[in-house]
């Protein structure tokens, strides 16, 4: 028994709750185990080597549930289970603990995977973000419609974090000053040698209670400062569109960017005083998309105003310190702010943006770029501030997140900048942490792997290649099939518990899980299901292998069309799941409240991973990697990291279909979806279900609008701007091909195995090392995980 851990847990229980391990409830145990384990992690970690440190500034950290992953990385899982079991409890009791959902999707989850990888490999990387009171909303379905509820992730406390009141800083806006109070969360590397920190800032009032107003009997004035301050870190913005609560969003961005930069400068000056000549030798700051880009003028402002550096000197330090990662080419997500609004919220920062803009125009003139050509670079243009341009200009590195995405940045989205600064641009293909996404999420497959090749793969995923010769034997393939079936059953049980829906583990599991967005084409998936359904009913599709079509996705609350797509898929489910002709062959399930925990059940159970975005739209995707690592085939377009997945696993082991980036570029101007719709009766039939009475949208007009988006377009886009009708038939054909191939279960399992065996590239350990070496100029403290 781990006595240190046991006595730690006992002490916390006694001090905090006056209980013993036996008499404590789940919430108390969760708190005590977390606190005791966190304390031990701090105590046992190795001293940090002196040297350069990288800081990852991100508006989102989607860490998920922490208790299992932290105990796993500390090597405490079985110790804890033993302690609990001896007192009549179980580790599985903690499955009711909520996720920490401080992120929307891939960008936030990537940040969490990076922190895990850096700590595992002894890389000095600190995270900086916002401690939202409410994370991403909880989703329920009412009559097939999405309904949102507040996510009270701290309901069971936040026992992993420590409030560091003494490190609070002030953040100033045009009309308000607030206190940023840091909460530190330990980021425990696998093996427990390195513990890094995720520092999340909470916004509080300087004076939470105004006695003067209170005494004058103005009760609401007495607390209004507090309400206005706390609003800043109250909620995560689930919006892809940037047109809501703009001023508050600017405040949020500046709030955590300023607090983080102040923190870094405070740490630096503590040893170096006001000599900033070594600043960029000791700190690298990575900007996770444009959300923290206001950190650039903030650093320049602090150096100029608080430490009397000249503007040019401050600028050069900033340029050497910052690096920028782009995560999307969607125009609507490249942040632009109205200058008029920005200046009222952040007058002191606006001034520096003008100075930077002036420096840019001088530089452009020097390179012979003027007039119209110069305008496309302007940081402030037509009264808008372009945050991505600011990031590219005042940084030394700009990276995309998959090879094809970086090429699109260079040749299209940021091509004029690439012409100016070709050396700044580089690629860092995303990755996922093998600890959470394989070792923890898929115990059956991971113990099989360890049995065959030892556990070195946990910190060096390329080792999975050693299974190549081993797993080809028929008996081994059968074991893989057993493991897959086991994971399917586990998912069936979970879905039954969460949704009250029964699925059979003998079905093919075909899964699409990701944010709901038109470019990700969940609607195309829905049409394809109807195409198959009608084909089976008509008798044109025969010998179809039973398939469960599973969706998980949240739609941004203001994204009307995305919500229409959810309702449509739920309607399809109602029809198909109750049709006795197809009941044994098809099931359609939209799981509710898709989150990290759900993904941990879904990815190990999948046979088919749906990655069907329009070519050129998905920057990378990371869900695609989670499926691959767990042995599913990809049914996908040549978009984002799918390209590299097919390259690594072999195109013959995946199902690649549809238009490529070049194809779309070529046809874009002449594309006519109405012609496709009119000329193909099968396509017409599935699209018409939106309006022919097959389904009801309860009079909301949502389905009509969806159909119009495909055939008529809208004021802001052409008809079918994500080419659903173009790719629909090739998609259905690839899907049916995969379904036929599954009839030979062994041959299909071989494809699945080729995928997970060759997934080594997609470990975030590889990605973070590349950031450390190629962008930050860091070397890892320890090269091995343990
Ligand atoms: C307006 C603010 C805003 C806009 C978009 C906030 C958040 C978002 C998205 C949720 C950003 C996002 O998650 N992007 C995804 O980043 C992943 C990590 O690089 C990529 O794998 C995905 O392709 C990309 O969509």
């Amino acid at each position: 028994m781990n006595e240190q851990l046991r006595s730690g847990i006992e002490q916390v229980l006694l001090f905090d709750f006056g209980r013993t391990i036996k008499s404590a409830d789940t919430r108390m145990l969760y708190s005590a185990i977390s606190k005791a384990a966190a304390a031990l992690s701090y105590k046992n970690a190795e001293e940090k080597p002196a040297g350069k440190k990288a800081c990852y500034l991100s508006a989102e950290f989607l860490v998920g549930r922490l208790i299992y992953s932290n105990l796993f990385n500390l090597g405490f899982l079985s110790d804890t289970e033993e302690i609990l079991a001896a007192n009549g409890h179980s580790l599985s009791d903690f499955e009711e603990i909520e996720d920490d959902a401080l992120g929307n999707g891939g960008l936030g989850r990537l940040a969490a995977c990076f922190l895990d990888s850096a700590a595992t490999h002894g890389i000095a990387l600190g995270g900086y973000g916002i401690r939202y009171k409410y994370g991403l909303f909880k989703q329920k379905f009412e009559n097939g419609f999405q309904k949102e509820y507040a996510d009270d992730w701290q309901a069971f406390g936040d026992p992993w974090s420590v409030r560091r009141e003494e490190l609070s800083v002030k953040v100033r806006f045009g009309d308000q000053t607030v206190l940023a109070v840091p909460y530190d969360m330990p980021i425990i590397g696998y093996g427990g040698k390195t513990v890094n920190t995720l520092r999340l800032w909470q916004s509080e009032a300087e004076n939470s209670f105004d006695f003067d107003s209170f005494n004058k009997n103005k009760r609401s004035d007495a607390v209004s400062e507090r309400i206005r301050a706390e609003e800043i870190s109250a909620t995560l913005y689930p919006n892809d569109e940037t047109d809501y609560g703009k001023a508050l969003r600017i405040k949020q961005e500046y709030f955590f960017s300023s607090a983080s930069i102040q923190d870094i400068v405070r740490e630096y000056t503590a040893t170096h005083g006001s000599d900033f000549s070594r600043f960029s030798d000791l700190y690298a700051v990575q900007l996770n998309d444009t959300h923290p880009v206001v950190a650039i003028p903030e650093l320049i402002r602090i150096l100029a105003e608080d430490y009397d550096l000249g503007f040019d000197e401050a600028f050069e330090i900033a340029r050497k310190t910052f690096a920028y990662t782009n995560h999307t080419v969607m125009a609507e997500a490249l942040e632009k702010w109205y200058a008029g609004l920005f200046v009222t919220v952040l007058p002191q920062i606006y001034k520096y943006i003008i100075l930077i803009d002036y420096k840019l125009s001088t530089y452009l003139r020097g390179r012979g770029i003027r007039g119209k050509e110069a305008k496309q670079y302007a940081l402030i243009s037509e009264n808008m501030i372009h945050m991505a341009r600011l990031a590219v200009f005042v940084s030394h590195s700009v990276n995309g997140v998959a090879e094809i995405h970086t090429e699109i940045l260079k040749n299209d989205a940021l091509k004029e900048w690439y012409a100016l600064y070709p050396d700044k641009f580089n690629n860092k293909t995303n990755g996922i942490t093998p600890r959470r996404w394989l070792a923890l999420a898929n115990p059956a497959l991971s113990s099989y792997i360890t049995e065959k090749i030892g556990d070195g793969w946990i910190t060096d995923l390329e080792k999975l290649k050693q299974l190549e010769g081993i797993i080809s034997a028929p008996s081994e393939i059968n074991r893989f099939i057993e493991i897959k079936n086991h994971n399917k059953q586990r998912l069936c049980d979970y879905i039954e518990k969460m949704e009250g829906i029964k699925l059979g583990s003998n079905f093919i599991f075909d899964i699409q899980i990701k944010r709901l967005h038109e470019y990700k084409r969940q609607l195309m998936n829905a049409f394809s299901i109807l195409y198959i359904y009608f084909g089976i009913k008509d008798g044109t599709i025969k010998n179809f292998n039973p398939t469960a079509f599973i969706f998980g996705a949240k739609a941004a609350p203001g994204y009307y069309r995305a919500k229409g797509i959810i309702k449509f898929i739920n309607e399809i489910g109602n029809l198909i799941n109750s049709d006795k002709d197809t009941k044994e062959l098809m099931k359609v399930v939209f799981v509710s409240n898709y989150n990290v925990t759900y993904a941990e059940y879904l990815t190990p159970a999948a046979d088919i991973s749906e990655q069907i975005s329009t070519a050129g739209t998905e920057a990378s995707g990371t869900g695609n990697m989670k499926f691959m690592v767990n042995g599913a085939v990809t049914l996908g377009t040549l978009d984002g990291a799918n390209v590299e997945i097919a390259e690594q696993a072999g195109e013959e082991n995946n199902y690649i279909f549809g238009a490529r980036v070049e194809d779309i570029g070529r046809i874009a101007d002449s594309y006519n979806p109405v012609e496709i719709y009119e000329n193909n009766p099968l396509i017409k039939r599935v699209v018409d279900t939106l309006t022919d009475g097959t389904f009801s949208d309860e009079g909301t007009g949502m389905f009509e609008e969806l159909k119009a988006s495909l055939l008529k377009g809208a004021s802001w886009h052409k008809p079918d701007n994500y080419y659903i009708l173009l790719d629909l038939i090739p998609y259905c054909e690839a899907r049916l091909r995969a379904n036929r191939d599954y009839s030979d279960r062994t041959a299909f399992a071989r494809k699945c195995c080729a995928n997970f065996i060759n997934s080594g590239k997609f470990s975030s350990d590889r990605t973070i090392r590349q950031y450390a070496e190629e962008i930050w100029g860091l070397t890892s403290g320890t090269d091995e995980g343990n």
Side-chain angles (χ1 to χ4, degrees), residues 60 104-108 110 239-242 249 291 327 333 335 401 430 515 519-520 618-622:
E60 305 186 10
N104 282 295
L107 169 141
L110 182 74
N239 292 25
D240 249 357
E241 282 113 86
T242 48
R249 175 83 186 175
H291 320 142
H327 295 267
E335 286 183 302
V401 290
N430 283 166
R515 286 180 293 126
Y519 84 78
K520 296 175 186 278
E618 187 70 272
S620 163
T622 46

Side-chain angles (χ1 to χ4, degrees), residues 56 59-60 103-111 114 236-242 249 253 288-291 325-328 330 332-335 337 400-402 405 428 430 515 519-520 617-625 640-641 771:
Y56 200 80
E60 305 186 10
N104 282 295
L107 169 141
R109 183 55 232 174
L110 182 74
F114 281 178
L236 167 79
Y237 277 81
N239 292 25
D240 249 357
E241 282 113 86
T242 48
R249 175 83 186 175
E253 295 187 351
N288 198 26
D289 218 289
T290 52
H291 320 142
T325 306
N326 175 286
H327 295 267
T328 182
M330 294 281 125
E332 82 250 19
L334 288 175
E335 286 183 302
W337 299 118
V401 290
H405 168 56
K428 296 286 168 281
N430 283 166
R515 286 180 293 126
Y519 84 78
K520 296 175 186 278
T617 61
E618 187 70 272
S620 163
T622 46
N624 47 5
M625 301 170 184
Y771 275 88

Side-chain angles (χ1 to χ4, degrees), residues 443-746:
L445 186 58
S446 54
S447 35
Y448 172 78
I449 298 168
T450 297
E451 172 196 316
K452 295 294 169 188
I453 62 169
D455 67 0
W457 61 272
I458 296 174
T459 53
D460 179 4
L461 202 63
E462 291 285 356
K463 289 217 161 88
L464 292 181
K465 283 216 164 67
Q466 294 172 5
L467 288 162
E468 185 98 65
I470 301 173
I471 215 167
S472 51
S475 59
E476 302 300 321
I477 291 288
N478 282 336
R479 282 196 63 190
F480 175 81
I481 293 172
E482 278 164 25
I483 290 165
K484 190 57 93 182
N485 288 341
H486 167 86
N487 290 332
K488 288 185 188 181
Q489 190 54 53
R490 192 176 67 135
L491 176 62
C492 289
D493 296 344
Y494 193 68
I495 288 180
E496 189 171 356
K497 182 175 116 189
M498 304 301 281
E499 323 295 334
I501 297 173
K502 273 195 165 64
L503 290 179
S505 63
N506 58 324
F507 275 46
I508 296 175
F509 280 38
D510 174 317
I511 307 183
Q512 185 173 20
I513 42 175
K514 47 185 79 256
R515 286 180 293 126
L516 205 315
H517 199 290
E518 287 163 276
Y519 84 78
K520 296 175 186 278
R521 299 200 292 193
Q522 283 97 346
L523 183 58
M524 185 170 80
N525 185 339
F527 285 153
S528 157
I529 292 169
L530 285 171
Y531 175 100
I532 293 168
Y533 172 71
F534 291 139
I536 292 174
K537 302 258 307 178
D538 294 348
T540 50
I541 295 176
K542 296 192 179 68
N543 305 320
F544 186 75
N545 286 305
T547 303
F549 299 97
I550 301 173
F551 294 84
K554 288 178 182 175
Y559 192 171
Y560 182 75
R561 263 186 207 162
K563 290 182 146 180
I565 294 168
I566 291 181
K567 171 66 177 168
F568 184 51
I569 295 169
N570 280 326
E571 285 289 301
I572 294 172
N574 286 340
L575 173 74
I576 293 180
N577 297 346
S578 59
D579 185 331
K580 54 183 180 341
D581 294 345
T582 52
K583 257 170 93 170
E584 304 303 317
L585 293 175
M586 300 176 80
K587 277 266 160 27
V588 180
V589 180
F590 206 127
V591 304
S592 55
N593 201 42
Y594 170 62
N595 60 8
V596 171
T597 295
Y598 230 131
E600 290 168 13
Y601 284 96
L602 287 157
T603 43
D607 298 298
I608 296 176
S609 154
E610 296 278 347
Q611 308 300 336
I612 59 176
S613 52
T614 315
T617 61
E618 187 70 272
S620 163
T622 46
N624 47 5
M625 301 170 184
K626 290 160 201 166
F627 284 110
M628 183 198 196
V629 166
N630 284 286
V633 301
T634 296
L635 171 54
T637 48
L638 284 178
D639 196 23
N642 301 350
V643 177
E644 291 158 72
I645 286 175
E647 225 166 70
Q648 295 294 308
E651 204 166 318
E652 69 284 6
N653 294 315
N654 288 296
Y655 295 84
I656 302 298
F657 69 91
R660 303 173 177 222
V661 176
E662 314 83 77
D663 301 329
I664 287 175
R666 224 178 312 109
I667 65 150
D669 291 336
S670 61
Y671 179 55
N672 183 356
V674 176
E675 201 178 291
I676 301 180
Y677 166 82
E678 297 290 357
N679 291 331
N680 188 323
L682 294 174
I683 291 185
K684 187 164 189 306
R685 185 171 182 196
V686 299
V687 173
D688 283 348
T689 62
L690 281 165
T691 49
D692 65 8
T694 310
F695 303 116
S696 163
D697 62 8
E698 331 287 325
T700 56
M702 283 174 142
F703 291 174
E704 180 93 52
E705 207 279 333
L706 278 179
K707 187 170 167 184
S709 77
L710 299 174
L711 301 178
K712 298 201 177 96
S715 61
W716 68 95
H717 74 81
K718 294 201 270 189
D720 191 17
N721 54 334
Y722 294 111
Y723 304 90
I724 289 178
L725 302 192
L726 178 71
D727 279 347
L728 181 56
I729 298 298
Y731 173 48
C732 292
E733 283 166 357
R735 202 170 204 179
L736 288 170
R737 188 155 54 84
N739 188 277
R740 272 195 305 278
D741 287 356
Y742 191 83
S743 303
D744 183 347
R745 190 91 210 254
T746 307

